[in-house]
Amino acid sequence: MKRIPVLVLITCLTLSACGSSGGSGGGQLKMGIAVANISLNFAHEMVEGAEMAAQHEGGVDFKAVGPPNTDGPAEQQLFTNLTQTNPDGVVLMNLDPPIFTRPAATAIDRGVPVVALDTAPTDGSKVTFYVGNDNYDLGAQLAQELLKRLPANPSGTVVVGVPNPGTPVLDNRARGIKETLAAKAPGIKVLGPFQTYSDPNQNYGAWSALVHANPSALAFLGVGDADSYDLAKIKQAESGKYLVAGADVDAKTLQGVKDGLDFVTIDPEHFLKGYVVTALLIRSVKDKKPLPQGWLKTPGLVVDSSNIDVVLKRQLTPQAAYDFYKPEIDRLLANPAGLVRPLTEAR
């Protein structure tokens, strides 16, 4: 895997996007993206997509910022600073929506275009355009993939974990898991969701405790980045007979799928989202035309043994990712106004 190492990524995100500015005149527009955690792969992918969109659109000095660990107040300050230094447009991705309500509204009142990525905006934020997944459906997909691998009419327990309870994106995935299993496999008792933390060390400790407390469980399912690879690591270390899976496409997670430890991972396709929302924001600012109002839903992908090699190839470079996503990028950018649905439907 040739993704940028974390230490390099931190440098890129605290400076000016590692050469992502492009176009004539050295970058007439100053724009950027704020993300919730630059240490984890999900944010890295969104930033790569956003930076590539800025390169392709041209004429943009593009800056990416975010705290080294999930820290809402720290990101809030970075976001506020970004709206002042790069006032031509900002993409906001966060995991603590309520604390961004006032800062987003303040920026918009000052004339800074702000759009939401991955996490739906709150009432009062004045953000009216959002690009993200149907996270309930991503959770439902994970539950359905589990059922494919269990006997008919299964009975037993399934343990569910959420890194940051209270984060709508993650809570909706967990709810999708629980409600799908309740509807399709009433013999299964779902335990949780339990807090598993986004920090990899805390995550590993939380899952270890849950596995040891539930040694006869059918499966352990997480909904976040570290969940997938820590569960695979535990399963391998303990020769577990249970099934494990989670979300996202960190290199360690994909190796877990390749090795048959994670039976799947659910890919929210973060690069795609970052690219699409940034391209649309830049075009709106350049063309002086308003963005559509509402939720532009983006797809997700089930990654398993059938397509793991294709996904591994996609992950080698940002260009490989762009080549993989180009048909979907073209579809979403061609007619976004015809694809949006009300913000109230976002989940």
Side-chain angles (χ1 to χ4, degrees), residues 106-124:
T106 299
I108 290 170
D109 285 343
R110 288 193 290 107
V112 180
V114 179
V115 294
L117 168 63
D118 197 55
T119 301
T122 54
D123 292 340

Side-chain angles (χ1 to χ4, degrees), residues 138-148 176-178 180-181 221:
L138 295 186
Q141 287 183 54
L142 181 53
Q144 290 162 3
E145 291 297 322
L146 172 64
L147 293 177
K148 292 177 184 179
I177 293 171
K178 291 189 69 170
T180 300
L181 291 178
L221 304 178

Side-chain angles (χ1 to χ4, degrees), residues 236-253:
Q236 183 176 47
E238 302 194 355
S239 300
K241 304 303 180 185
Y242 41 80
L243 296 171
V244 301
D248 294 303
V249 289
D250 183 275
K252 297 184 293 295
T253 295

Side-chain angles (χ1 to χ4, degrees), residues 245-324:
D248 294 303
V249 289
D250 183 275
K252 297 184 293 295
T253 295
L254 294 179
Q255 191 61 49
V257 175
K258 179 72 173 176
D259 293 340
L261 298 168
D262 288 303
F263 63 87
V264 299
T265 188
I266 304 298
D267 178 9
E269 301 190 309
H270 295 307
F271 181 100
L272 172 66
K273 289 182 292 190
Y275 189 104
V276 167
V277 73
T278 304
L280 288 172
L281 176 60
I282 292 170
R283 292 179 187 185
S284 171
V285 172
K286 284 185 173 182
D287 297 340
K288 296 181 172 57
K289 293 181 179 179
L291 285 162
Q293 296 191 13
W295 169 33
L296 180 60
K297 176 186 168 185
T298 55
L301 179 69
V302 175
V303 181
D304 60 15
S305 59
S306 71
N307 62 354
I308 182 63
D309 290 334
V310 173
V311 173
L312 285 168
K313 182 178 179 181
R314 181 195 78 187
Q315 295 299 104
L316 290 175
T317 65
Q319 184 61 49
Y322 174 76
D323 292 342
F324 176 92

Side-chain angles (χ1 to χ4, degrees), residues 99-135:
I99 70 171
F100 287 86
T101 301
R102 181 174 293 178
T106 299
I108 290 170
D109 285 343
R110 288 193 290 107
V112 180
V114 179
V115 294
L117 168 63
D118 197 55
T119 301
T122 54
D123 292 340
S125 69
K126 300 189 178 180
V127 177
T128 59
F129 183 62
Y130 162 56
V131 175
N133 305 103
D134 182 333
N135 286 283

Side-chain angles (χ1 to χ4, degrees), residues 41 94 164 170 182 194 303 320 337:
N41 183 72
N94 72 89
N164 300 293
L170 303 177
F194 299 100
V303 181

Side-chain angles (χ1 to χ4, degrees), residues 31-185:
M31 306 176 78
I33 182 172
V35 295
N37 182 326
I38 60 174
S39 299
L40 296 179
N41 183 72
F42 71 86
H44 185 182
E45 299 241 341
M46 291 184 215
V47 168
E48 286 187 333
E51 289 180 341
M52 183 156 283
Q55 290 174 347
H56 289 171
E57 296 300 316
V60 183
D61 285 329
F62 196 80
K63 182 177 181 179
V65 299
N69 298 297
T70 302
D71 184 338
E75 188 200 356
Q76 180 198 83
Q77 186 59 57
L78 289 168
F79 165 74
T80 298
N81 293 344
L82 185 64
T83 64
Q84 295 167 350
T85 62
N86 292 60
D88 292 315
V90 173
V91 177
L92 173 60
M93 178 271 152
N94 72 89
L95 294 176
D96 195 357
I99 70 171
F100 287 86
T101 301
R102 181 174 293 178
T106 299
I108 290 170
D109 285 343
R110 288 193 290 107
V112 180
V114 179
V115 294
L117 168 63
D118 197 55
T119 301
T122 54
D123 292 340
S125 69
K126 300 189 178 180
V127 177
T128 59
F129 183 62
Y130 162 56
V131 175
N133 305 103
D134 182 333
N135 286 283
Y136 180 95
D137 187 59
L138 295 186
Q141 287 183 54
L142 181 53
Q144 290 162 3
E145 291 297 322
L146 172 64
L147 293 177
K148 292 177 184 179
R149 292 158 175 84
L150 293 175
N153 303 313
S155 62
T157 59
V158 170
V159 180
V160 176
V162 174
N164 300 293
T167 299
V169 168
L170 303 177
D171 288 346
N172 280 325
R173 292 180 193 173
R175 186 165 62 89
I177 293 171
K178 291 189 69 170
E179 292 182 1
T180 300
L181 291 178
K184 295 181 177 294

